């Protein structure tokens, strides 16, 4: 309990930040479509967010080294708040894309600061509880944020973005008022993408497909929801069902990934994801409950793939490579996430709403084929790391998870 109280400021900041950032993507999509943005332009906003996310992941450790944790967090929060508030100044897609780059930098930068702070304060005895609490704060706030979408979509545009701006600014207060001393700044993680490919080509392919799935769904899902007749409130439920399905899958998938060959687990999840895509397309006209059920099934099958992929890649890495390997895998996730929203939104514009799930299915078909091919090339390792839920938050997450992987 004492540990949870000491980290309360960090977790509250994470929750407020997630409430703000978790609502801006769907709000941009719905508002942009109402303002006459094309579907590909709305998708480009999602790609811009992940481009900013990539910049923030790279820049944050360097800024912390220059100004410290608290000032770095304040800088990133200010960039996010400016990006949110600026939406109402100019309603042009290119300007909103710049705003979303700012919000992406904010999210990655703030998570990097929080995770660096946690890493400096946790011990081997408190690491599991700290990570569990961190996960609840992050995913819980992300889940709640989806229920805000309907309310925000039904008020004036400037009010909606002001509410998100207020939440973003509020995330600064817990850290600004905490009495916890700032930890020493860790050195910036070297970014070595080649390391991930050297350790596990299949792991790299899987995190890219995981990015295609989650980034497409979360950023372009509101377009799909509107195309199949969902209201703003129902679109919020649609996205929340995806997150709930992903959260529920973590424990059983983790058990399977520790008990069986992780390549078969990834292949099984991809086959299930293809079925989930087919089920989603088939039930699009069967009412809201069917669509929500399909969304939960889709989250159940796609959300855990990233964690399984990272666990598989770490099986082939030494203890001294874990931090850099986690950063390299996050790099490939960011690349896939940058490309996915614009691509899928353009496909929807040309071929209809079902194109979103055709595209995601194609990615999982490739992953299944590549996974079966890799199983013929290399055997599964005799000794494996422990399965760990891996948040897709920053390049520095490997520092926080490193010891959790050791058996």
């Amino acid at each position: 309990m004492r540990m949870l109280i000491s980290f309360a400021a960090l977790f509250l900041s994470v929750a407020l930040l997630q409430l703000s950032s978790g609502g801006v993507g769907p709000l941009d999509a719905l508002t942009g479509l109402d303002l006459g943005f094309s579907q590909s332009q709305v998708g480009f906003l999602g790609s811009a967010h992940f481009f900013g996310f990539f910049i923030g992941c790279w820049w944050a450790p360097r800024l912390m080294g220059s100004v410290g944790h608290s000032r770095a967090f304040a800088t990133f929060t200010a960039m996010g708040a400016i990006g949110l508030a600026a939406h109402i100044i100019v309603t042009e897609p290119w300007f909103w894309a710049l705003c979303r780059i700012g919000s992406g930098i904010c999210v990655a930068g703030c998570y990097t600061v929080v995770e660096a702070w946690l890493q400096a304060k946790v011990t081997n005895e408190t690491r599991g509880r700290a990570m569990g609490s961190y996960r609840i704060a992050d995913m819980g706030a992300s889940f709640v944020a989806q229920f805000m979408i309907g309310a925000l979509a039904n008020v004036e545009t400037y009010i909606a973005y002001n509410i998100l701006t207020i939440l973003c600014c509020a995330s600064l207060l817990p850290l600004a008022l905490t009495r916890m001393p700032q930890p020493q700044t860790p050195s910036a993680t070297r970014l070595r993408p080649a390391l991930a490919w050297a350790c596990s080509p299949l792991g790299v392919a899987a995190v890219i497909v995981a990015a295609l799935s989650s980034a497409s769904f979360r950023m372009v899902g509101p377009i799909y929801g509107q195309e199949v007749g969902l209201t703003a409130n129902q679109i919020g439920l649609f996205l929340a069902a995806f997150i709930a399905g992903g959260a529920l899958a973590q424990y059983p998938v983790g058990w399977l990934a520790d008990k069986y060959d992780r390549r078969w687990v990834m292949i099984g999840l991809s086959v299930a994801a293809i079925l989930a895509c087919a089920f989603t397309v088939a039930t699009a006209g069967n009412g809201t409950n069917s669509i929500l059920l399909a969304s939960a099934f889709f989250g159940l099958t796609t959300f855990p793939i990233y964690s399984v992929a990272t666990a598989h890649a770490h099986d082939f890495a030494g203890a001294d490579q874990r931090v850099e390997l986690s950063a390299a895998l996050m790099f490939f996730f960011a690349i896939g996430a940058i490309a996915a929203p614009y691509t899928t939104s353009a496909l929807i514009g040309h071929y209809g709403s079902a194109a979103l799930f055709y595209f995601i299915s194609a990615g999982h078909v490739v992953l299944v084929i590549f996974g079966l091919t890799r199983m013929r090339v290399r055997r599964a390792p005799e000794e494996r790391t422990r399965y760990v839920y891996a948040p897709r938050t920053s390049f520095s997450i490997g520092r926080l998870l490193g010891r959790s992987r050791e058996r």
Side-chain angles (χ1 to χ4, degrees), residues 35-95:
L35 292 172
F37 293 6
S38 69
Q39 292 174 335
S40 59
Q41 287 172 335
V42 170
F44 184 68
L45 300 180
S47 293
H49 170 85
F50 284 107
F51 180 67
F53 174 85
F54 175 79
I55 295 173
C57 285
W58 179 86
W59 182 32
R62 292 155 180 82
L63 185 63
M64 278 195 298
S66 300
V67 301
H69 290 65
S70 294
R71 289 179 179 176
F73 192 91
T75 299
F76 292 123
T77 303
M79 293 184 69
I82 291 169
L84 289 168
H87 275 73
I88 61 175
I89 298 175
V90 179
T91 54
E92 292 290 340
W94 64 267
F95 185 79

Side-chain angles (χ1 to χ4, degrees), residues 23-187:
V24 66
L27 180 62
D28 269 3
L30 297 177
T31 306
L33 292 173
D34 287 343
L35 292 172
F37 293 6
S38 69
Q39 292 174 335
S40 59
Q41 287 172 335
V42 170
F44 184 68
L45 300 180
S47 293
H49 170 85
F50 284 107
F51 180 67
F53 174 85
F54 175 79
I55 295 173
C57 285
W58 179 86
W59 182 32
R62 292 155 180 82
L63 185 63
M64 278 195 298
S66 300
V67 301
H69 290 65
S70 294
R71 289 179 179 176
F73 192 91
T75 299
F76 292 123
T77 303
M79 293 184 69
I82 291 169
L84 289 168
H87 275 73
I88 61 175
I89 298 175
V90 179
T91 54
E92 292 290 340
W94 64 267
F95 185 79
W96 280 25
L98 292 176
C99 293
R100 289 301 299 278
I101 290 174
S103 66
I105 293 173
C106 167
V107 170
C110 288
Y111 272 112
T112 300
V113 173
V114 169
E115 287 165 5
W117 211 316
L118 280 173
Q119 167 61 18
K121 298 298 182 182
V122 296
T123 64
N124 289 337
E125 290 74 25
T126 62
R127 188 179 302 274
R129 284 174 291 164
M131 283 304 299
S133 302
Y134 179 46
R135 176 183 173 187
I136 290 171
D138 179 37
M139 294 194 70
S142 178
F143 182 76
V144 172
Q146 310 312 310
F147 291 96
M148 297 168 48
I149 295 169
L152 293 175
N154 291 323
V155 299
E156 294 291 337
T157 301
Y158 76 93
I159 295 178
Y161 284 103
N162 280 350
I163 291 173
L164 294 181
T165 303
I166 290 169
L167 289 170
C168 184
C169 292
S171 70
L172 177 61
L173 296 178
L175 273 184
L177 297 175
T178 183
R179 295 183 179 180
M180 283 195 303
Q182 290 191 85
Q184 290 186 341
T185 303
S187 58

Side-chain angles (χ1 to χ4, degrees), residues 213 217 224 228 269-286 290-291 293-295 297-299 301-302 353-365:
S213 301
F217 190 88
Y224 175 85
V228 298
L269 286 171
S270 277
V271 171
I274 295 167
L275 296 175
C277 289
F279 178 67
T280 304
V281 172
T283 58
N286 294 343
S290 296
I291 295 173
L293 179 62
S295 176
F297 183 29
F298 181 77
T301 58
T302 59
S353 59
L356 168 64
F357 293 100
Y358 293 151
F359 175 77
I360 294 173
S361 293
H364 285 281
V365 168

Side-chain angles (χ1 to χ4, degrees), residues 174-255:
L175 273 184
L177 297 175
T178 183
R179 295 183 179 180
M180 283 195 303
Q182 290 191 85
Q184 290 186 341
T185 303
S187 58
T189 302
R190 285 196 303 168
L191 189 55
R192 298 170 56 199
L195 174 64
W197 184 262
C199 289
S200 176
L202 178 58
V204 170
V207 298
I208 292 174
V209 172
L212 296 179
S213 301
S214 64
S216 295
F217 190 88
R218 297 192 70 171
M219 296 298 173
V220 185
I223 298 177
Y224 175 85
Q226 195 171 76
E227 288 283 312
V228 298
L230 297 181
T231 65
N233 283 324
Q234 291 168 342
I235 288 173
L237 290 172
F238 178 66
L239 297 175
F242 166 76
I243 296 171
L248 290 174
Q250 291 300 326
Y251 181 80
V253 169
W255 181 82

